[in-house]
Amino acid sequence: GGGVFLQGWAGGYPEIVKENELFERYYRELGIVPAGEWDAFMAALREPLPATLRITGYRSHAKEILHCLKEKYFRELQDLEVDGQKVEMPQSLSWYPEELAWHTNLSRKILRKSPLLEKFHQFLVSETECGNISRQEAVSMIPPLLLNVSPHHKILDMCAAPGSKTAQLIEMLHADMDVPFPKGFVIANDVDNKRCYLLVHQAKRLNSPCIMVVNHDASSIPNLQIDVDGRKEILFYDRILCDVPCSGDGTMRKNIDVWKKWTTQNSLQLHGLQLRIATRGVEQLAEGGRMVYSTCSLNPIENEAVIASLLEKSQGALELADVSSELPGLKRMPGITKWKVMLKDGQWFEEWKDVPSNRQTQIRPTMFPVKDEEKLKAMNLERCLRILPHHQNTGGFFVAVLIKKSPMPWNKRQPKVHQKLPQRTGDTEVTAANSNNGSDCITEEPILAENESKKVQGLQNSDTEQSKKEGVCGPPPSKKMKLFGFKEDPFVFLPEDDPLFLPIQKFYALDPSFPKMNLLTRTQEGKKRQLYMVSKELRNVLLNNSEKMKVINTGIKVWSRNSDGEQFGCAFRLAQEGIYTLYPFIHARIINVCIEDVKILLTQENPFLSKFSSETQKKVKDMAMGSVVLKYDPDPEKPDDLQCPIVLCGWQGKTSLRAFVPKNERLHYLRMMGVEVFKAKRKEEELENKTEEEVQHKLAQTEEGMDVEDKEHDLVTKMEAEIGEESSQSPVESSAMEIENKTEDLDQSSKNATTHISKESKGTDTSNVKD
């Protein structure tokens, strides 16, 4: 894990020469760097990138983490010298709101040389595992900020892996932590099945019921339907993040091999795909909605050329937003309006008519700037943002913010009056709407029946015939879905009258307002082991699109089966993952604990009741054994104590009370309370890591088709069986606990199992170069 955080510095790559003559010739000629700054620009590209981190601003305790960072860790580093050199202090990014993003030049080599720094490093790594800190390139934080997300927005993230931007979007949905189910949601898509699991891993750390990970080709992502007051309507998104695959030449400071591999060819090959993805995005954008297009490339072929073509074919339906006053403190260059096209042999072309016919497959008309001065002026291309590395010590980046004024011109087909609308009986699909999901084929011009008014759902039958001729195909056969990637388990909502629910409702005294309709499992047959929960809006999406959507993961775990609980009235124990969502609905089995109690719960394995405060002992006395909620509320009278509320899942035994919290979260809460949890690396840890690797290896070998979650509960089942044979103590005290412990370790290893899939695990944050 540690390497993921601080990577790629000092002395790692002496063999790569940071020179590329063609690159210099190309960008010098295009004039993307202001006069007199060329040498500074090139020098910056040759310097390693500072590490940047973002404090996830998604709980009241973002402020606590910030406080902890500044008051404790940074303070300790203040006068630190290593090898006679003063350690540089981390700096906050001036343009990121509320000091929640920081960069630091500390290299790995230095980190090893000082116990204080090692402690800081451990803090970062551990908080990253919990999802409280995100290791993310500074420029990559910009697109989500410019989307202007509100908690009610329906958001599509088209090319989302590995997910640091997705995480930012989820945080914005949960701006108000008192609302367990914001109305908005994020659908995060990626074309690469393996990288989708990385996305799941990133999103999981945020425990949100409002995120769904899907696996499609972004350029032909299907139209989804939702049920609006009993009518099926096409789902349009309020916000779309379109961070397309790109040549990545803005990432040379991090991905060193770009230096030797760079040629203009990459951009020429990607331009068409980028334009198709962006086009598919704006088609699905609601009127008045905002789409952010971004690349980590400096190349106008992938940037302004794509935006200009999009604006041109939109015929006024789209406009570039002027965001010059947003993110004050961010140094940016305007978009450019004139550029040329170069072949990889260094040959330049000024306009399309100069391109010889044998080159007309490589170079396309959409790659050239608009000739007509009037038209060009109306596009306002200067409203795009270009971020140059030497201005604020970052990577290179491009961002454009588009607003949709009206439907796309090719989506304006009016319903023909003389046809009557298809009859709707109950829940039957509207076939016509289905036939136009454009899902499995890419036609040159996407033809989608987005009617002028979304209210008109009369996508008529002759229209369907028409669209077949025009190359729009019907819903993909379900068989086809199995061809790529793993076959995922189905998402099954709990039936209205499922007997499973009654004892749960009684045991935890759930509020009548509890949305039990939103509970789901991942099994069609057999025993339900885990209960997950999604928001009402995502339930709507899941129920209406199972045929055309490949869902990788959604929902957070709220209850886990624990058969020992049955004798006390409930076979399901609370899961820490979902407790913040569930807590507002629970009215029983809540134990309010003081800060001393919390420390005991988090530092001791299975403490006796006698160790707790007398108030806590009193409360426990009258409560049946089983799963409990442990709640800490800060005391404003004691400002030095932790000032954010904490909710923990616990288990009350005959004579003991314990918390069920994964290790990294446990450490997190202790740190926030000022308890020293640092331990220097020791032999035992190496041993621990060894066994963890073995678990990972086993995990990797278990049937690939399973979701991590299922792999986990498969292993847990095996363990339950083993423990069952040995256990001579009272069943509750032992098995519930031990299983939990082992599950915790599994949680960790299954996380790693997902991570090892991607380059991320090697420490190259691949968030941008999506090849």
Side-chain angles (χ1 to χ4, degrees), residues 500-523:
L500 203 70
F501 185 68
L502 225 66
I504 296 180
Q505 189 169 23
K506 234 169 88 186
F507 193 70
Y508 298 103
L510 294 180
D511 199 89
S513 70
F514 177 76
K516 70 170 180 183
M517 307 280 292
N518 305 354
L519 285 173
L520 60 93
T521 59
R522 295 292 303 268
T523 40

Side-chain angles (χ1 to χ4, degrees), residues 26-83:
Y26 182 73
Y27 282 121
R28 238 187 225 273
E29 179 76 21
L30 287 178
I32 62 157
V33 176
E37 293 181 23
W38 182 261
D39 292 341
F41 166 73
M42 287 307 295
L45 283 179
R46 294 192 175 99
E47 282 299 308
L49 201 61
T52 39
L53 58 109
R54 192 171 59 73
I55 297 170
T56 54
Y58 159 66
R59 322 171 193 195
S60 53
H61 62 260
K63 298 219 165 32
E64 292 289 326
I65 295 169
L66 179 60
H67 180 77
C68 184
L69 257 183
K70 281 163 63 173
E71 296 309 308
K72 180 165 188 248
Y73 292 93
F74 293 168
R75 202 156 264 183
E76 287 176 354
L77 303 181
Q78 215 148 23
D79 305 303
L80 190 61
E81 289 200 354
V82 174
D83 298 342

Side-chain angles (χ1 to χ4, degrees), residues 86-186:
K86 205 166 151 0
V87 168
E88 253 180 273
M89 289 295 290
Q91 300 293 317
S92 65
L93 299 179
S94 60
W95 47 270
Y96 200 99
E98 300 180 48
E99 283 194 303
L100 290 176
W102 294 74
H103 66 146
T104 158
N105 279 316
L106 298 170
S107 72
R108 250 189 185 162
K109 214 149 94 199
I110 294 184
L111 284 168
R112 293 205 192 94
K113 289 196 168 168
S114 142
L116 271 178
L117 282 174
E118 194 191 339
K119 181 164 121 185
F120 174 53
H121 184 226
Q122 240 184 53
F123 166 77
L124 295 180
V125 171
S126 164
E127 290 295 313
T128 302
E129 281 173 6
C130 295
N132 297 318
I133 283 178
S134 176
R135 160 84 169 78
Q136 182 178 358
E137 224 189 296
V139 287
S140 135
M141 301 172 190
I142 299 169
L145 290 176
L146 290 177
L147 262 182
N148 281 359
V149 171
S150 296
H152 64 277
H153 283 151
K154 301 178 183 65
I155 307 168
L156 172 64
D157 187 348
M158 297 185 82
C159 314
S164 44
K165 295 184 187 78
T166 316
Q168 246 174 308
L169 297 171
I170 297 170
E171 290 164 32
M172 292 168 182
L173 283 181
H174 291 274
D176 182 352
M177 274 304 282
D178 296 331
V179 179
F181 295 104
K183 285 220 164 21
F185 54 76
V186 177

Side-chain angles (χ1 to χ4, degrees), residues 76 90 132 184 225 237 275 277 305 315 356 452 607 617 622 632 769:
E76 287 176 354
N132 297 318
Q225 290 177 334
Y237 300 94
L275 184 51
I277 294 175
Q315 297 172 21
E452 207 102 63
Q617 292 187 44
D622 311 319
Y632 161 75
V769 195

Side-chain angles (χ1 to χ4, degrees), residues 172-226:
M172 292 168 182
L173 283 181
H174 291 274
D176 182 352
M177 274 304 282
D178 296 331
V179 179
F181 295 104
K183 285 220 164 21
F185 54 76
V186 177
I187 292 179
N189 174 66
D190 202 86
V191 64
D192 182 326
N193 184 265
K194 287 200 174 74
R195 286 170 58 102
C196 280
Y197 290 90
L198 189 63
L199 208 50
V200 170
H201 167 63
Q202 286 278 35
K204 260 207 163 108
R205 306 181 314 170
L206 293 169
N207 299 335
S208 165
C210 307
I211 160 95
M212 171 149 79
V213 175
V214 300
N215 178 199
H216 288 276
D217 170 355
S219 62
S220 60
I221 194 166
N223 261 355
L224 301 185
Q225 290 177 334
I226 46 173

Side-chain angles (χ1 to χ4, degrees), residues 379-392:
M379 285 185 174
N380 297 312
L381 286 178
E382 71 290 341
R383 290 181 177 175
C384 299
L385 272 67
R386 293 183 147 264
I387 310 289
L388 298 179
H390 62 295
H391 284 166
Q392 282 176 311

Side-chain angles (χ1 to χ4, degrees), residues 318-594:
L318 298 173
E319 72 173 34
L320 276 170
D322 176 1
V323 291
S324 53
S325 59
E326 295 180 40
L327 304 187
L330 178 66
K331 294 207 177 85
R332 61 199 86 182
M333 297 295 297
I336 61 177
T337 51
K338 296 266 185 280
W339 60 88
K340 300 182 289 188
V341 180
M342 185 203 256
L343 280 173
K344 67 169 178 211
D345 59 10
Q347 192 180 348
W348 288 102
F349 296 98
E350 301 262 351
E351 48 187 315
W352 171 244
K353 64 173 174 43
D354 305 338
V355 180
S357 56
N358 64 339
R359 295 294 190 192
Q360 289 187 357
T361 48
Q362 277 178 302
I363 296 182
R364 305 298 305 149
T366 49
M367 296 176 182
F368 292 90
V370 176
K371 276 274 169 286
D372 180 332
E373 286 298 326
E374 280 298 286
K375 245 182 176 174
L376 185 63
K377 217 174 129 194
M379 285 185 174
N380 297 312
L381 286 178
E382 71 290 341
R383 290 181 177 175
C384 299
L385 272 67
R386 293 183 147 264
I387 310 289
L388 298 179
H390 62 295
H391 284 166
Q392 282 176 311
N393 196 3
T394 61
F397 210 67
F398 174 87
V399 193
V401 182
L402 292 154
I403 308 268
K404 185 172 184 179
K405 310 301 258 185
S406 58
M408 304 309 288
W410 58 90
N411 289 143
K412 282 186 175 178
R413 282 185 289 162
Q414 288 295 335
K416 298 182 186 69
V417 183
H418 62 267
Q419 289 199 329
K420 53 183 206 294
L421 297 182
Q423 296 303 304
R424 252 182 222 88
T425 48
D427 224 28
T428 47
E429 298 270 321
V430 183
T431 43
N434 259 357
S435 67
N436 282 349
N437 70 29
S439 109
D440 252 15
C441 53
I442 304 165
T443 47
E444 243 340 284
E445 281 291 341
I447 304 133
L448 290 159
E450 158 183 338
N451 288 318
E452 207 102 63
S453 138
K454 291 161 207 159
K455 306 285 176 294
V456 188
Q457 247 296 324
L459 309 174
Q460 282 72 18
N461 302 331
S462 82
D463 234 27
T464 314
E465 286 312 310
Q466 187 53 33
S467 62
K468 280 202 178 113
K469 284 186 208 125
E470 296 172 67
V472 175
C473 40
S478 48
K479 259 233 289 294
K480 197 142 182 192
M481 300 301 246
K482 296 171 200 166
L483 293 180
F484 56 106
F486 310 144
K487 175 82 182 96
E488 288 295 330
D489 291 322
F491 294 84
V492 188
F493 283 92
L494 216 57
E496 186 65 64
D497 48 2
D498 196 313
L500 203 70
F501 185 68
L502 225 66
I504 296 180
Q505 189 169 23
K506 234 169 88 186
F507 193 70
Y508 298 103
L510 294 180
D511 199 89
S513 70
F514 177 76
K516 70 170 180 183
M517 307 280 292
N518 305 354
L519 285 173
L520 60 93
T521 59
R522 295 292 303 268
T523 40
Q524 216 129 28
E525 303 91 35
K527 229 177 185 189
K528 302 182 171 73
R529 301 205 140 272
Q530 323 278 357
L531 295 180
Y532 300 89
M533 194 151 192
V534 292
S535 67
K536 166 167 127 257
E537 288 72 14
L538 270 189
R539 174 180 193 268
N540 192 341
V541 175
L542 274 168
L543 286 177
N544 288 298
N545 301 282
S546 55
E547 279 305 294
K548 54 168 98 157
M549 197 171 52
K550 184 166 188 212
V551 180
I552 301 292
N553 209 309
T554 190
I556 44 170
K557 192 198 300 181
V558 281
W559 279 291
S560 272
R561 183 181 286 279
N562 170 22
S563 317
D564 293 326
E566 234 160 318
Q567 48 190 311
F568 312 119
C570 186
F572 283 85
R573 65 170 176 79
L574 298 162
Q576 183 65 29
E577 236 170 85
I579 195 61
Y580 284 95
T581 302
L582 208 50
Y583 177 73
F585 300 101
I586 298 176
H587 293 309
R589 309 199 57 77
I590 296 173
I591 301 172
N592 288 88
V593 287
C594 62

